[in-house]
Amino acid sequence: MPTFRELWDGIAPIGRGANGYLRYALTEPELVLRDWFRNQAARRDMPVTDDGNGNLFAWWGDPWAHDAVLTGSHFDSVPHGGAYDGPLGIVSGFLAVDRLREQGYAPTKPIAIVAFVDEEGGRFGLPCLGSRLLTGAIEPERAAALRDVDGVTFGEALGDLPAGLLPGLDRRISALVELHIEQGRALAVPVGVASAIWPHGRWRFDFTGHGDHAGTTKMSDRRDPMLTYAYTVLAANKEARLAGAHATMARVEVEPNATNAIPSVVRSWLDARAEDNATLSAVVDAVVKRATERAGRDGTELTVTPESQSPEVDFDTSLADRLADLLGGVPILPTSAGHDAGVLSAHVPTAMLFVRNPTGISHSPAEHADEQDCLSGIDALAKVLRDLT
Ligand code: GLV
Ligand code: MN
Ligand code: MN
């Protein structure tokens, strides 16, 4: 049986650039990772199915017989992301299966390792696209029409209209356990269990002004959307700090994006997260209000479009408590990062295992977990899969 190091080193070069990973959903590196997935499954005599939504499943046991226990995560990365966010859960899934087979264990329920498509929304803009489709949280037609920056739709990339909701979802799946690198500085021991996910969402802000000459347009004559945008970034930062929430405007597009032209359009995305829905709404409302007032002063226009909503998730408490006990009393902690497990949790008993992140850095090439902690994660996952099956 391969070691963690062998599997991890095997996928490490795939999609790695000079500055982190570019593993966008259904682009070449992610397709290579999918081939790797099929190959690992074949080596273990695990048949692979897909659900017509771009999610892959490798089966130990009868595919989609009732009460399957799923584990896994996603291959796709954010732009210039790290190695662990996503792939660690899939690699750990295969190694946990190896561990259980070495022990001579025979599960009474099918176990599937899943690779969800476009969890980060790095290509098609909507996070957890695969799990939203699988659970019917998004209409297949709407998902199919989502476009990447080159204008390619998800439907074109998938080669079909997504299948959408998996019929009999809650009969077919009895539990999902996603193992993931922890993404803050919240876990001081090798492994923990998730309690909750902060509600979060994405809002597109289109600031429209009047394109003009940077040299000849008097300051008093300008309608510069960059000013409204800049003010909005500061307002988002301030409102989030005041509320104990998180707000980020990290992606921006400028038209025409020229040094010597006042822009006509600035487009940016607000990523906002808070401990509860009410705080999140209050922060976003305050940012929109202040941005709108500022647009009035700048002579610009602002349109705000909600692009995705991920409501508060409270993972199944009795399951989390049971798994934490099973693993020797490990900590149970919330996260403000989004996960496919959060989407599934509205339909089936769901849990997450976190592996310690010594620096807390994530969505960055500097993301790291120690090998010893990854091995502890695999041990923990094997125990949990055994318990659930
Ligand atoms: C996904 O990792 C997210 O939290 O945005
Ligand atoms: Mn992520
Ligand atoms: Mn992730």
Side-chain angles (χ1 to χ4, degrees):
M1 283 297 138
T3 62
F4 171 74
R5 183 51 45 208
E6 282 160 357
L7 286 198
W8 199 246
D9 288 351
I11 62 167
I14 303 168
R16 187 169 58 195
N19 184 22
Y21 285 93
L22 297 168
R23 289 169 166 170
Y24 300 122
L26 305 176
T27 63
E28 220 236 65
E30 210 244 5
L31 294 172
V32 172
L33 287 163
R34 286 165 173 268
D35 284 345
W36 175 90
F37 182 94
R38 290 178 195 281
N39 191 274
Q40 290 298 321
R43 288 179 188 204
R44 291 168 175 79
D45 290 321
M46 297 175 78
V48 173
T49 64
D50 80 60
D51 61 357
N53 293 313
N55 305 314
L56 292 178
F57 301 80
W59 293 93
W60 181 13
D62 190 3
W64 299 126
H66 285 184
D67 285 346
V69 173
L70 306 189
T71 187
S73 194
H74 58 98
F75 282 127
D76 66 295
S77 74
V78 295
H80 304 284
Y84 294 81
D85 179 352
L88 183 64
I90 299 175
V91 167
S92 300
F94 281 116
L95 292 169
V97 164
D98 291 348
R99 190 78 42 101
L100 292 173
R101 286 179 169 177
E102 269 164 22
Q103 294 166 1
Y105 178 64
T108 59
K109 296 176 179 177
I111 293 178
I113 300 164
V114 51
F116 290 110
V117 72
D118 209 7
E119 189 273 350
E120 301 287 4
R123 181 164 180 199
F124 295 104
L126 188 73
C128 299
L129 185 55
S131 53
R132 284 183 204 265
L133 277 163
L134 169 73
T135 56
I138 180 171
E139 289 301 318
E141 292 75 14
R142 190 181 151 221
L146 294 171
R147 283 182 192 281
D148 70 7
V149 288
D150 298 320
V152 178
T153 66
F154 177 64
E156 286 162 352
L158 193 63
D160 211 343
L161 183 69
L165 175 69
L166 178 74
L169 175 75
D170 52 356
R171 273 180 290 112
R172 292 183 183 204
I173 303 174
S174 68
L176 167 80
V177 185
E178 179 173 356
L179 177 146
H180 205 280
I181 185 169
E182 202 271 327
Q183 292 169 286
R185 263 173 286 272
L187 185 59
V189 295
V191 173
V193 174
S195 57
I197 300 180
W198 280 18
H200 54 284
R202 298 179 180 186
W203 290 261
R204 195 181 78 232
F205 282 56
D206 291 285
F207 304 95
T208 311
H210 190 76
D212 214 331
H213 196 296
T216 58
T217 314
K218 285 186 195 154
M219 298 309 281
S220 54
D221 288 347
R222 296 179 182 215
R223 288 163 48 202
D224 183 351
M226 188 64 85
L227 297 181
T228 324
Y229 159 70
Y231 175 86
T232 306
V233 175
L234 297 175
N237 177 63
K238 183 164 183 182
E239 293 297 336
R241 282 171 186 266
L242 288 172
H246 296 168
T248 312
M249 294 186 85
R251 177 177 166 205
V252 60
E253 295 172 358
V254 182
E255 294 173 19
N257 206 17
T259 306
N260 55 352
I262 297 161
S264 53
V265 176
V266 176
R267 191 174 300 112
S268 183
W269 283 258
L270 171 69
D271 176 310
R273 310 180 187 221
E275 200 166 357
D276 56 72
N277 294 320
T279 308
L280 179 61
S281 299
V283 167
V284 174
D285 289 350
V287 174
V288 172
K289 183 164 179 282
R290 293 179 64 168
T292 305
E293 284 164 7
R294 175 73 200 206
R297 296 204 290 283
D298 291 335
T300 57
E301 272 161 32
L302 169 61
T303 313
V304 179
T305 312
E307 288 200 340
S308 82
Q309 311 281 336
S310 301
E312 185 172 354
V313 170
D314 285 308
F315 286 111
D316 187 313
T317 313
S318 60
L319 180 59
D321 288 346
R322 191 156 64 76
L323 298 188
D325 278 353
L326 178 76
L327 301 177
V330 299
I332 303 180
L333 63 160
T335 179
S336 44
H339 298 286
D340 294 303
V343 176
L344 266 290
S345 72
H347 303 269
V348 295
T350 301
M352 290 191 74
L353 300 182
F354 288 136
V355 170
R356 171 164 57 187
N357 179 334
T359 61
I361 295 172
S362 189
H363 286 189
S364 150
E367 180 185 68
H368 175 75
D370 288 341
E371 182 166 345
Q372 204 50 48
D373 289 349
C374 295
L375 295 174
S376 299
I378 294 160
D379 274 345
L381 182 60
K383 273 193 193 130
V384 165
L385 291 176
R386 196 175 176 129
D387 180 84
L388 292 171
T389 58

